Amino acid sequence: MGHELKSWFQLDARKLIWLICAFMVIITFQYLELSSENVLSAVVPSGKISVETQSSFLASAPSSTEPDGTIRYVTHSIGLEYNGTYAGSETVHGNEVSEERDMDSNDVVISETDVDLNKSSTFEEGSESPKESLTEELVDLIKNSTVYDAESSKNKTTAEVEGGLSLELSKENNMATLDSLNQTSAVNEATNGFETYEVNDKDQDSDSTLDNDNNSGRKSSSEEFEDYPESYNNKTVAKEAPTTIADMNNLFYRSRVSYHSTTPRWASAADKVLLNVRSQIEKAPILENDQQLYAPLYRNVSMFKRSYELMESTLKVYIYKEGKKPIFHKPVLKGIYASEGWFMKQLQANRNFVTKKPREAQLFYLPFSSRMLEETLYVPDSHSIQNLVEYLKNYADTIAAKYPYWNRTQGADHFLVACHDWATSETKEYMANCIRALCNSDIREGYIFGKDVSLPETTIRNPQRPLRDLGGEPPSKRSILAFFAGGMHGYLRPILLQQWGNKDPDMKIFGTMHNGKGKLNYAQHMKRSKYCICPRGYEVNSPRVVEAIFYECVPVIISDNFVPPFFEVLNWESLAVFVLEKDIPNLKKILLSIPDERYRQMQLSVKKAQQHFLWHPRPVKYDIFHMILHSVWYNRVLQMKKPR
């Protein structure tokens, strides 16, 4: 008996030693793989919101609540046979090297570089923390939608999902979950496993912009690139998961209830006006069969129409007179950065929106040109934009000392419109509270949903005839499946050309095009293509998005983390295809998987969206000038919170 007892104890001791060793191996592995915070989160799951997409064509709705507290969103489709997002197991590369802006013509290329320093993807939600009403408002945003559960492949109603939420998550846990989320965590924790379609197109049929710039002393793109700050040139490839279009929808809807601008130091009549406007927008009557607005193109056509009407009747903007030319008050109307110049020119000439009495204003415009800032102040070979940043800081200090309005809101009711890529870095510190309309609308570089605006990047070749050559062939006469031509800027375009250049008759993928007799030029290719490929260059933005719409070609956006223009208003999945950068090898397969009926619906949406992306010598209703101003107005209105 004693011998058996001794053997039993020896056996149990061995088992205990093996268990202790296994436990130590697991702890060591987690310590090496994760930071201390991630280890804790891995051991103790916390609530988070992630995104999945069944189709990238309609607005998001809640799908289910996971056992770990994850609220999972999906987009619902109209009987489509393909998913709206393609995703694989590989990690997608993010930002790399500096941004060299380009405008590729038939046989010429314009490139202007952009700098981005000290990137930050932190989502600043203001000083106030979300209250319990945040959860209720979030649920209200996604009511009455059919929900698709990707794991169980069963349809659920929103009511069933809400029931699950109430059973599995207490209101306190919901608030802790939402309060703990910031823009970075939501991006990195977004659900993978689906591939994304994104469209962004650019026409490169320019004929004179390059020559004009060079004749005026402007350096070539290659020369500019060599002068960029070292920290920008040495950017490494990000290894974080990309932000898909479904993720962006999730971030956008959350921002509507979670983003808080700086609380004004004292009340004003403008605040009361905006609070009243917000109430009217939220109670907008249902719009039916509007002749100018195509409902599927918008997130909520009724709210957009009401907001636009109230902007026309209510909005007053004060333009600061301070600032010297050429950086201030000198609009540049030609080239790839023309959006900021055309907006400045047309706002300054507008008698309906502009007021000379700052006390009447709800918004204050900072009238500088980011392009002229770079051309005037950047020191070649300095590898620094710090003097540009300081120049804007001094300007902000000047108006803050002279007027009370900046100090009242810390700049929250001020806005800027800047298309040069460096503007993101130049303004993110001292003008961080301002509403920033930026062409370089990159989530990883500090774009904030609920505050910032994605500015369309438009190429203007002839300021006297901005609508020259508008339009394209009907769908039945578009014989080319997909088209791209342009300079090999950045890491992505060489991959696109290597994969598809001269390898498939359906995929017209070229480098810089050269005109020749009997050959289609750039614009003619766009006019005859079903899909226009819009890959990123050195930065996420590209004029190709607007150019595709200009020629009525469905844009295919291949630019991870790029927020498309007027994102707060337009349902981009109705008019564009979004493809993850890593899915370039599957590009043709993705495009062929889209049913012809679906393509025709998207092409119709492109034609209906065209009015929002056109510059006119004199502004017209719903044009690009009014849409930029509306996005700034809309974001400011929805930032307003009732005093407690």
Short mmCIF file of all heavy atoms in Angstrom, two decimals, residues 451-474:
data_model
loop_
_atom_site.label_atom_id
_atom_site.label_comp_id
_atom_site.label_asym_id
_atom_site.label_seq_id
_atom_site.Cartn_x
_atom_site.Cartn_y
_atom_site.Cartn_z
N LYS A 451 -15.63 65.99 -37.89
CA LYS A 451 -15.03 67.33 -37.89
C LYS A 451 -14.46 67.68 -39.26
O LYS A 451 -14.84 68.68 -39.87
CB LYS A 451 -13.94 67.45 -36.83
CG LYS A 451 -13.30 68.84 -36.77
CD LYS A 451 -12.20 68.92 -35.72
CE LYS A 451 -10.93 68.21 -36.13
NZ LYS A 451 -10.24 68.94 -37.26
N ASP A 452 -13.54 66.87 -39.76
CA ASP A 452 -12.87 67.18 -41.02
C ASP A 452 -13.73 66.83 -42.23
O ASP A 452 -14.68 66.05 -42.13
CB ASP A 452 -11.53 66.45 -41.08
CG ASP A 452 -10.55 66.95 -40.04
OD1 ASP A 452 -10.66 68.13 -39.64
OD2 ASP A 452 -9.68 66.17 -39.60
N VAL A 453 -13.35 67.40 -43.36
CA VAL A 453 -14.08 67.21 -44.62
C VAL A 453 -13.10 66.73 -45.68
O VAL A 453 -11.98 67.24 -45.78
CB VAL A 453 -14.72 68.54 -45.08
CG1 VAL A 453 -15.28 68.42 -46.50
CG2 VAL A 453 -15.81 68.97 -44.10
N SER A 454 -13.50 65.72 -46.46
CA SER A 454 -12.68 65.26 -47.57
C SER A 454 -12.94 66.15 -48.78
O SER A 454 -14.04 66.18 -49.31
CB SER A 454 -12.99 63.80 -47.91
OG SER A 454 -12.23 63.37 -49.03
N LEU A 455 -11.91 66.87 -49.19
CA LEU A 455 -12.02 67.84 -50.28
C LEU A 455 -11.73 67.16 -51.62
O LEU A 455 -10.69 66.50 -51.77
CB LEU A 455 -11.01 68.97 -50.04
CG LEU A 455 -10.90 70.07 -51.09
CD1 LEU A 455 -12.18 70.89 -51.14
CD2 LEU A 455 -9.70 70.98 -50.79
N PRO A 456 -12.61 67.29 -52.60
CA PRO A 456 -12.34 66.70 -53.92
C PRO A 456 -11.11 67.35 -54.56
O PRO A 456 -10.98 68.56 -54.57
CB PRO A 456 -13.59 67.01 -54.73
CG PRO A 456 -14.64 67.35 -53.73
CD PRO A 456 -13.92 67.96 -52.57
N GLU A 457 -10.22 66.52 -55.08
CA GLU A 457 -9.06 67.03 -55.79
C GLU A 457 -9.39 67.09 -57.27
O GLU A 457 -9.61 66.06 -57.91
CB GLU A 457 -7.84 66.13 -55.55
CG GLU A 457 -6.57 66.67 -56.16
CD GLU A 457 -5.35 65.85 -55.77
OE1 GLU A 457 -5.50 64.88 -55.01
OE2 GLU A 457 -4.25 66.20 -56.23
N THR A 458 -9.46 68.27 -57.82
CA THR A 458 -9.88 68.45 -59.20
C THR A 458 -8.75 69.03 -60.04
O THR A 458 -8.02 69.92 -59.60
CB THR A 458 -11.09 69.40 -59.30
OG1 THR A 458 -10.75 70.66 -58.71
CG2 THR A 458 -12.29 68.82 -58.56
N THR A 459 -8.61 68.52 -61.25
CA THR A 459 -7.62 69.04 -62.19
C THR A 459 -8.29 70.03 -63.13
O THR A 459 -9.19 69.66 -63.87
CB THR A 459 -6.99 67.90 -63.01
OG1 THR A 459 -6.40 66.95 -62.12
CG2 THR A 459 -5.94 68.44 -63.96
N ILE A 460 -7.86 71.28 -63.08
CA ILE A 460 -8.40 72.31 -63.97
C ILE A 460 -7.31 72.69 -64.97
O ILE A 460 -6.25 73.20 -64.59
CB ILE A 460 -8.85 73.56 -63.19
CG1 ILE A 460 -9.93 73.19 -62.17
CG2 ILE A 460 -9.36 74.63 -64.15
CD1 ILE A 460 -11.21 72.68 -62.77
N ARG A 461 -7.56 72.44 -66.24
CA ARG A 461 -6.58 72.75 -67.28
C ARG A 461 -6.84 74.09 -67.93
O ARG A 461 -5.92 74.77 -68.36
CB ARG A 461 -6.59 71.63 -68.33
CG ARG A 461 -6.26 70.27 -67.73
CD ARG A 461 -6.53 69.14 -68.69
NE ARG A 461 -6.30 67.86 -68.04
CZ ARG A 461 -7.17 67.26 -67.26
NH1 ARG A 461 -8.34 67.82 -67.04
NH2 ARG A 461 -6.89 66.12 -66.68
N ASN A 462 -8.11 74.43 -68.05
CA ASN A 462 -8.49 75.69 -68.67
C ASN A 462 -9.50 76.39 -67.77
O ASN A 462 -10.69 76.05 -67.79
CB ASN A 462 -9.08 75.44 -70.06
CG ASN A 462 -9.35 76.72 -70.83
OD1 ASN A 462 -9.44 77.81 -70.24
ND2 ASN A 462 -9.48 76.60 -72.14
N PRO A 463 -9.07 77.35 -66.96
CA PRO A 463 -9.99 78.03 -66.02
C PRO A 463 -11.16 78.71 -66.72
O PRO A 463 -12.21 78.90 -66.10
CB PRO A 463 -9.10 79.05 -65.32
CG PRO A 463 -7.72 78.49 -65.43
CD PRO A 463 -7.68 77.82 -66.76
N GLN A 464 -11.00 79.07 -67.99
CA GLN A 464 -12.10 79.69 -68.72
C GLN A 464 -13.13 78.67 -69.18
O GLN A 464 -14.29 79.01 -69.41
CB GLN A 464 -11.57 80.46 -69.95
CG GLN A 464 -10.87 81.77 -69.62
CD GLN A 464 -9.53 81.55 -68.94
OE1 GLN A 464 -8.74 80.69 -69.34
NE2 GLN A 464 -9.27 82.33 -67.89
N ARG A 465 -12.71 77.40 -69.30
CA ARG A 465 -13.62 76.34 -69.76
C ARG A 465 -13.45 75.10 -68.88
O ARG A 465 -12.97 74.05 -69.33
CB ARG A 465 -13.35 76.00 -71.22
CG ARG A 465 -13.54 77.16 -72.18
CD ARG A 465 -13.17 76.72 -73.61
NE ARG A 465 -13.96 75.58 -74.04
CZ ARG A 465 -13.65 74.81 -75.10
NH1 ARG A 465 -12.55 75.06 -75.80
NH2 ARG A 465 -14.43 73.81 -75.45
N PRO A 466 -13.86 75.18 -67.63
CA PRO A 466 -13.65 74.04 -66.72
C PRO A 466 -14.49 72.81 -67.07
O PRO A 466 -14.19 71.72 -66.59
CB PRO A 466 -14.06 74.62 -65.36
CG PRO A 466 -15.02 75.72 -65.68
CD PRO A 466 -14.52 76.31 -66.96
N LEU A 467 -15.52 72.96 -67.89
CA LEU A 467 -16.40 71.83 -68.23
C LEU A 467 -16.12 71.27 -69.62
O LEU A 467 -16.92 70.51 -70.16
CB LEU A 467 -17.87 72.27 -68.13
CG LEU A 467 -18.31 72.80 -66.77
CD1 LEU A 467 -19.78 73.18 -66.80
CD2 LEU A 467 -18.05 71.79 -65.67
N ARG A 468 -14.99 71.64 -70.20
CA ARG A 468 -14.66 71.17 -71.53
C ARG A 468 -14.55 69.65 -71.57
O ARG A 468 -13.96 69.03 -70.70
CB ARG A 468 -13.32 71.76 -71.98
CG ARG A 468 -12.98 71.49 -73.44
CD ARG A 468 -11.57 71.96 -73.77
NE ARG A 468 -10.56 71.15 -73.11
CZ ARG A 468 -9.25 71.27 -73.34
NH1 ARG A 468 -8.81 72.20 -74.15
NH2 ARG A 468 -8.39 70.50 -72.70
N ASP A 469 -15.16 69.05 -72.57
CA ASP A 469 -15.07 67.60 -72.81
C ASP A 469 -15.81 66.77 -71.77
O ASP A 469 -15.49 65.60 -71.54
CB ASP A 469 -13.60 67.17 -72.87
CG ASP A 469 -13.37 66.07 -73.89
OD1 ASP A 469 -14.22 65.90 -74.78
OD2 ASP A 469 -12.35 65.36 -73.78
N LEU A 470 -16.81 67.34 -71.12
CA LEU A 470 -17.58 66.64 -70.08
C LEU A 470 -18.36 65.48 -70.67
O LEU A 470 -18.90 65.56 -71.76
CB LEU A 470 -18.54 67.63 -69.41
CG LEU A 470 -19.46 67.09 -68.31
CD1 LEU A 470 -18.65 66.67 -67.10
CD2 LEU A 470 -20.49 68.16 -67.93
N GLY A 471 -18.46 64.38 -69.92
CA GLY A 471 -19.31 63.26 -70.30
C GLY A 471 -18.55 62.11 -70.94
O GLY A 471 -17.33 62.15 -71.11
N GLY A 472 -19.31 61.05 -71.30
CA GLY A 472 -18.70 59.87 -71.90
C GLY A 472 -19.74 59.02 -72.60
O GLY A 472 -20.91 59.41 -72.72
N GLU A 473 -19.32 57.86 -73.05
CA GLU A 473 -20.21 56.95 -73.78
C GLU A 473 -21.22 56.30 -72.84
O GLU A 473 -20.94 56.13 -71.64
CB GLU A 473 -19.39 55.86 -74.47
CG GLU A 473 -18.41 56.37 -75.53
CD GLU A 473 -19.10 56.90 -76.76
OE1 GLU A 473 -20.33 56.67 -76.91
OE2 GLU A 473 -18.44 57.56 -77.59
N PRO A 474 -22.37 55.90 -73.37
CA PRO A 474 -23.33 55.13 -72.55
C PRO A 474 -22.77 53.76 -72.23
O PRO A 474 -21.82 53.30 -72.88
CB PRO A 474 -24.56 55.05 -73.46
CG PRO A 474 -24.04 55.19 -74.84
CD PRO A 474 -22.87 56.12 -74.74
#
